[in-house]
Amino acid sequence: MNQLTIRGFDDDLARRIRQLADQEGISLNRAVLRLLRRGAGLAPGKPGTDIVGSSLDHLIGTWTDEEALEMDDAIQGLSQIDRGMWR
């Protein structure tokens, strides 16, 4: 089994994980795994309905070059790693 440490999740997400664990009568670890599988589109059910980002697929390829450059400029600072979160 692989292990993964996740840092920086907010109170709302922690609350949702605890809520799912309580509702299903499962451990916090199992609740996190269940949510991750749903988000990755690996959970049973309707294919594609839980895949992260699929709701915006209709926008792919609709921006002009100018709009794409404007977005790239706007999000440039988001590519920086916050070293404080990794301590």
Side-chain angles (χ1 to χ4, degrees):
M1 278 268 141
N2 294 320
Q3 289 187 344
L4 176 67
T5 300
I6 301 173
R7 295 179 179 92
F9 57 91
D10 58 32
D11 292 340
D12 289 335
L13 182 54
R15 190 172 16 263
R16 178 63 183 111
I17 292 167
R18 282 188 177 82
Q19 179 185 35
L20 178 63
D22 290 344
Q23 286 174 347
E24 301 289 327
I26 58 178
S27 69
L28 291 174
N29 188 72
R30 285 194 186 269
V32 168
L33 290 173
R34 189 167 292 174
L35 291 171
L36 285 171
R37 291 189 69 77
R38 280 186 205 164
L42 299 173
K46 292 183 187 176
T49 58
D50 291 331
I51 296 173
V52 175
S54 65
S55 64
L56 300 177
D57 285 353
H58 67 281
L59 298 174
I60 294 173
T62 62
W63 287 355
T64 65
D65 288 342
E66 183 179 325
E67 289 170 325
L69 288 172
E70 186 178 333
M71 178 58 83
D72 287 344
D73 289 343
I75 65 172
Q76 187 174 12
L78 299 176
S79 64
Q80 301 299 316
I81 295 172
D82 183 348
R83 302 254 183 236
M85 291 186 71
W86 295 97
R87 291 187 182 153

